[in-house]
């Protein structure tokens, strides 16, 4: 994966094994990752977000991760299970004293319901990857200030 200026979806895990099918990777890349801030804004894979840059600058952070605990390994769970998993994620982030903003991820037209998510400001890359992995996620969204949002497989 090339970081620091060019979009490059990471299509292999840390040991080089292909993880996501082309279809699933494309669905993740097309998903709208909405941050419920005032005003709300949407992160798109491969696109720069001036709104995120402004938020990072105002908060004194240089990076952010957009993560969910819902539907681990891409397997749809019922709403109650997803709510509990997401609350566990929020509790973990709170215990780490991290700055978070609520969000949701939803593909514009594939019928998959929106997944409650969270934008975590200042969470470093390896910590974000470990957190996403610990909640059974296949991928998360990563962004450095002044760069494009990247899809990162865990």
């Amino acid at each position: 994966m090339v970081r620091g200026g060019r979009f490059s979806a990471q299509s292999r895990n840390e040991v080089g094994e292909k993880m996501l099918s082309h279809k699933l990777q494309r669905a993740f890349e097309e998903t709208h990752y909405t941050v419920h801030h005032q005003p709300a804004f949407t992160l798109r894979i491969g696109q720069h977000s001036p709104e995120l840059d402004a938020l990072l600058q105002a908060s004194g952070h240089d990076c952010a991760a957009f993560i969910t605990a819902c539907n681990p390994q891409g397997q749809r769970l019922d709403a109650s299970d997803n709510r509990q998993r997401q609350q566990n994620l929020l509790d973990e982030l709170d215990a780490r004293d991290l700055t978070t903003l609520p969000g949701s991820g939803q593909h514009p037209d594939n019928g998959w319901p929106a997944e409650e998510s969270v934008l975590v400001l200042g969470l470093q890359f390896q910590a974000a990857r470990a957190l996403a992995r610990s909640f059974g996620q296949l991928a998360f969204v990563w962004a450095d200030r002044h760069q494009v949002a990247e899809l990162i497989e865990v």
Side-chain angles (χ1 to χ4, degrees):
M1 174 184 69
V2 175
R3 295 193 52 221
R6 292 189 308 143
F7 164 67
S8 176
Q10 185 168 354
S11 60
R12 300 189 183 277
N13 68 8
E14 291 174 350
V15 294
E17 299 167 326
K18 183 146 178 68
M19 298 283 293
L20 296 179
S21 69
H22 176 71
K23 182 178 178 180
L24 188 55
Q25 181 170 336
R26 182 174 174 152
F28 284 158
E29 290 173 353
E30 293 172 348
T31 293
H32 296 188
Y33 301 95
T34 302
V35 179
H36 303 296
H37 187 57
Q38 295 299 345
F41 62 93
T42 300
L43 300 174
R44 299 292 309 273
I45 302 301
Q47 295 181 14
H48 174 256
S49 171
E51 298 90 350
L52 179 60
D53 278 354
L55 179 62
L56 289 171
Q57 183 169 347
S59 66
H61 295 98
D62 61 359
C63 59
F66 191 95
I67 299 178
T68 187
C70 297
N71 303 315
Q73 300 300 307
Q75 301 301 309
R76 194 176 296 193
L77 298 180
D78 66 41
S80 176
D81 287 342
N82 277 331
R83 273 192 302 276
Q84 184 58 56
R85 291 179 58 79
Q86 192 67 15
Q87 187 58 55
N88 292 345
L89 172 60
L90 294 172
D91 291 346
E92 172 73 20
L93 296 168
D94 188 52
R96 295 184 190 191
D97 199 31
L98 292 164
T99 303
T100 62
L101 293 169
S104 60
Q106 186 166 29
H107 191 278
D109 57 22
N110 74 357
W112 190 269
E115 292 182 339
E116 186 178 343
S117 304
V118 63
L119 181 71
V120 188
L121 304 180
L123 184 62
Q124 297 302 306
F125 183 80
Q126 290 302 332
R129 173 177 263 152
L131 185 65
R133 182 179 292 128
S134 75
F135 280 90
Q137 297 305 300
L138 297 172
F140 67 98
V141 177
W142 172 259
D144 285 313
R145 191 180 330 165
H146 307 303
Q147 305 300 324
V148 299
E150 300 176 66
L151 178 66
I152 306 296
E153 290 189 38
V154 297

